[in-house]
Amino acid sequence: SSDLMDAEKYLQQSPKDIPSDELYGIAKDKNVFLISMESLQGFVINRKMFGQEITPFLNDLIEDSYYFENFYHQTGQGKTSDAEFMMDNSLYPLPSGAVYFTHANNTYTATPSILKDQGYYSAVFHANDASFWNRELMYDTLGYDNYFAKEYYNITPENSVGWGLKDIDFFKQTVQLAKDLPQPFYAKLLTLTNHHPYEYSKEDQMIPEFNSGDGSFDRYFVTVRYLDEALKNFFDEVKKNGLYENSIFIMYGDHYGISENHNRAMGEFLNKEEITPYDSVQLQKVPLIIHIPGQEGKTLDTISGQIDVKPTLLHLLGVDDSQAGVNFGHDLFAENKPQLTVLRNGSFITDEYVFAQETCYERETGVEVDSANCEPFQDKAANDLQYSDEIIYGDLLRFILPENEQEDADKAAE
Ligand code: GP9
Ligand code: MN
């Protein structure tokens, strides 16, 4: 437990979030839809290919949402599951392996269990095998009340492609299941069609393939466009079924879809001669869209990452920090959000610099600069990862006391 105290002391060194007066508690008691947009990278947003928008629905939705344009995925080998892990725990995933497999029996202070104390019901919807990524076990650990996996869905050869049930059908069936949940609920939805190797059915093609000759790269745009359409259908279904007004929507890209193995094609697409380590870091941006019905849209350039979603959500729901467990991220709407985001491989981004492969770049231009500019952030970046890893390896959150006992302990210490 003294290791936990070290980690907590470390976290207390960074200033406490000062939540936005305007937004704290704005979504109190509303349903939450958290949507994982499979392999969706930021570079397709508001971009055209052959004169056509790649994500027309999202481009519109962003106009009426909080959109974080400098939001990075921070996943490692656990891919989708690592992103899920960060969303719910505000801890980093592990440097190797998937924490969903290796530490599924730990104690966590995860969003579903925190929200249970606020009267929420929580569920995950994903039309895949329940055991994939060890989810069945991990969801139990994290405090989810139910996991609607494959067996809850009507899956046929006609409504499937690639990895399984097509997203449009997934969303349609999911809304039918979600509308019967106890409310308020916290519902996580995991999409699947826009998954490598980006297979699609001809009848679902709404945009041409790109023409680099790199097959999966070229197909990516077709399945991204399909995911965009599926999201449009989802909002239609949610509205039709009376779930729109009393819900908020948090949508995030889970991780990159195009790896560095496709740099040649990526260079062609972006009209760049070379994809530098700086570019590779910038390509790890994924969309984060927070849609709150009735709120006007705003695009924010805060340097941010998946680790920040849990504290952001809890503040929107009016859950105060004493009930939020241990978090490495920060409320994205806080006035004093630190401008540093650390990727799992140790690269980091500040408002001024990008650090990648031992090189310091100016963030705005991608020009290499003296490494002394990045040095002040290097320890903090490394320590963040290390303390988070130690919490997971040592299962340290089992030493967290329930709130009432904590108060007694604090009094005793005074
Ligand atoms: C499978 C889905 C995709 O259930 O989460 O997994 P990924 O390969 O992206 O981690
Ligand atoms: Mn994924």
Side-chain angles (χ1 to χ4, degrees):
S1 73
S2 73
D3 289 346
L4 177 65
M5 276 158 67
D6 288 347
E8 286 181 320
K9 233 181 256 157
Y10 169 72
L11 287 172
Q12 279 157 13
Q13 284 168 13
S14 43
K16 259 176 148 352
D17 292 347
I18 304 170
S20 133
D21 282 343
E22 204 189 320
L23 291 174
Y24 184 87
I26 191 151
K28 194 168 175 42
D29 293 333
K30 295 217 173 187
N31 301 318
V32 179
F33 282 100
L34 178 70
I35 303 178
S36 164
M37 301 184 289
E38 179 57 46
S39 302
L40 189 64
Q41 283 181 233
F43 77 93
V44 295
I45 302 293
N46 284 323
R47 191 184 289 267
K48 286 185 176 171
M49 183 184 63
F50 308 136
Q52 283 184 55
E53 285 181 277
I54 304 163
T55 57
F57 172 71
L58 290 178
N59 298 348
D60 279 355
L61 184 74
I62 281 166
E63 297 291 313
D64 298 321
S65 308
Y66 295 102
Y67 172 58
F68 292 86
E69 60 181 6
N70 288 318
F71 180 82
Y72 295 81
H73 85 83
Q74 296 159 295
T75 63
Q77 290 173 340
K79 308 295 300 272
T80 311
S81 71
D82 276 358
E84 292 182 56
F85 181 73
M86 269 178 283
M87 294 289 143
D88 279 340
N89 296 290
S90 195
L91 293 169
Y92 291 92
L94 294 177
S96 68
V99 55
Y100 261 45
F101 273 115
T102 59
H103 295 80
N105 293 314
N106 275 16
T107 298
Y108 292 102
T109 55
T111 302
S113 61
I114 293 166
L115 291 185
K116 199 182 301 254
D117 294 337
Q118 309 288 320
Y120 273 75
Y121 183 89
S122 60
V124 184
F125 297 88
H126 184 43
N128 198 355
D129 297 313
S131 61
F132 201 94
W133 282 128
N134 202 29
R135 284 183 173 113
E136 199 167 27
L137 206 75
M138 188 59 155
Y139 289 163
D140 228 34
T141 297
L142 299 176
Y144 281 100
D145 294 304
N146 207 347
Y147 178 18
F148 295 88
K150 210 174 183 173
E151 59 276 11
Y152 285 86
Y153 290 86
N154 171 30
I155 306 175
T156 65
E158 290 71 44
N159 69 16
S160 302
V161 72
W163 279 57
L165 184 63
K166 294 181 189 179
D167 288 345
I168 289 181
D169 300 85
F170 164 69
F171 278 128
K172 208 178 161 94
Q173 295 184 37
T174 297
V175 172
Q176 290 312 308
L177 294 165
K179 76 181 205 305
D180 293 331
L181 293 180
Q183 295 191 26
F185 59 71
Y186 173 62
K188 172 159 72 176
L189 279 55
L190 306 173
T191 62
L192 197 54
T193 308
N194 186 41
H195 191 291
H196 192 268
Y198 313 115
E199 288 173 59
Y200 61 90
S201 328
K202 213 61 199 145
E203 74 264 21
D204 296 328
Q205 183 174 13
M206 284 161 274
I207 196 169
E209 291 188 10
F210 187 58
N211 60 3
S212 73
D214 176 336
S216 62
F217 184 89
D218 293 350
R219 287 191 300 278
Y220 180 68
F221 301 91
V222 179
T223 52
V224 166
R225 177 65 187 82
Y226 173 81
L227 169 58
D228 182 79
E229 192 71 15
L231 289 162
K232 176 171 178 246
N233 287 346
F234 167 70
F235 276 90
D236 290 344
E237 290 293 320
V238 160
K239 286 177 183 166
K240 254 200 277 174
N241 286 278
L243 284 170
Y244 177 73
E245 296 293 338
N246 56 348
S247 302
I248 67 164
F249 304 84
I250 301 187
M251 306 155 70
Y252 67 95
D254 62 348
H255 48 73
Y256 64 79
I258 304 295
S259 75
E260 289 177 29
N261 296 335
H262 302 275
N263 274 357
R264 181 197 59 82
M266 184 63 90
E268 218 172 294
F269 180 80
L270 298 174
N271 266 318
K272 283 187 172 207
E273 271 184 28
E274 190 198 357
I275 304 291
T276 65
Y278 163 85
D279 295 320
S280 291
V281 166
Q282 295 299 59
L283 283 165
Q284 305 314 306
K285 288 183 193 179
V286 293
L288 174 69
I289 300 166
I290 299 183
H291 183 74
I292 306 176
Q295 285 287 302
E296 261 173 51
K298 193 172 184 185
T299 292
L300 296 129
D301 60 4
T302 315
I303 307 296
S304 53
Q306 291 167 329
I307 198 109
D308 300 314
V309 171
K310 177 190 171 195
T312 307
L313 170 62
L314 291 178
H315 281 176
L316 289 173
L317 298 181
V319 178
D320 74 62
D321 290 345
S322 70
Q323 296 171 285
V326 169
N327 299 297
F328 281 77
H330 296 276
D331 178 350
L332 294 174
F333 296 112
E335 299 157 22
N336 59 340
K337 159 84 179 74
Q339 299 292 303
L340 170 68
T341 292
V342 186
L343 307 190
R344 184 57 260 196
N345 66 5
S347 298
F348 60 80
I349 304 98
T350 77
D351 46 353
E352 285 186 273
Y353 304 107
V354 168
F355 184 74
Q357 296 192 6
E358 306 306 314
T359 309
C360 193
Y361 299 88
E362 190 178 58
R363 188 176 70 87
E364 290 290 350
T365 60
V367 171
E368 250 186 83
V369 294
D370 194 319
S371 59
N373 292 297
C374 284
E375 255 162 44
F377 306 95
Q378 260 161 286
D379 282 351
K380 168 88 174 105
N383 288 341
D384 255 37
L385 294 170
Q386 200 188 324
Y387 276 107
S388 175
D389 292 349
E390 279 171 16
I391 285 177
I392 297 171
Y393 291 139
D395 188 11
L396 301 184
L397 297 180
R398 76 198 137 111
F399 297 116
I400 282 208
L401 296 171
E403 209 191 330
N404 51 345
E405 291 173 39
Q406 186 64 54
E407 277 165 22
D408 295 345
D410 290 348
K411 266 187 215 133
E414 269 168 22

